[in-house]
Amino acid sequence: MKQSWISPLEGHVTGTGDYSRQRLARLGALAARLPGLGLSARLLGTDDPVLSVWHQGTGRQTIVFATPTKEGWMFLWAPGGQESADDPGRAAELIGQTLSRPP
């Protein structure tokens, strides 16, 4: 059964700090690219949200974190995935590859 994608920004309340707004913007940019790859997503949490992502075909899922580093923001996900938040399209592709593989 194909699940519809719900914008993770819709109705989401976050902290008022710039850090929270930056994290949410990056996770939103990533989430916008996921449906075209057969992936669904939902934001979890309020002040420090993470993105729950699942593959509609395999049912596999992961949690994606957006975190600042010395080089800028990074997306991190299990098992061992990471990509610059400056390229959410590439991150979405890598997450899709991870979740489409058999466990």
Side-chain angles (χ1 to χ4, degrees), residues 18-20 22-23 26 66-69 71-75 83-86:
D18 188 48
Y19 179 79
S20 292
Q22 289 181 42
R23 174 181 282 144
R26 285 167 173 81
T67 189
T69 67
E71 295 81 28
W73 284 77
M74 295 288 295
F75 292 123
E83 182 60 49
S84 170
D86 291 337

Side-chain angles (χ1 to χ4, degrees), residues 56-103:
Q56 296 174 6
T58 66
R60 293 189 68 204
Q61 55 189 334
T62 193
I63 299 291
V64 180
F65 297 87
T67 189
T69 67
K70 290 190 309 186
E71 295 81 28
W73 284 77
M74 295 288 295
F75 292 123
L76 306 172
W77 63 92
Q82 66 179 33
E83 182 60 49
S84 170
D86 291 337
D87 193 351
R90 176 70 179 143
E93 290 172 6
L94 293 172
I95 293 166
Q97 290 172 10
T98 297
L99 298 180
S100 66
R101 290 187 214 126

Side-chain angles (χ1 to χ4, degrees), residues 3 11 15 34 38 46 52 61 74 78 82:
Q3 298 179 359
L34 298 173
T46 53
S52 174
Q61 55 189 334
M74 295 288 295
Q82 66 179 33

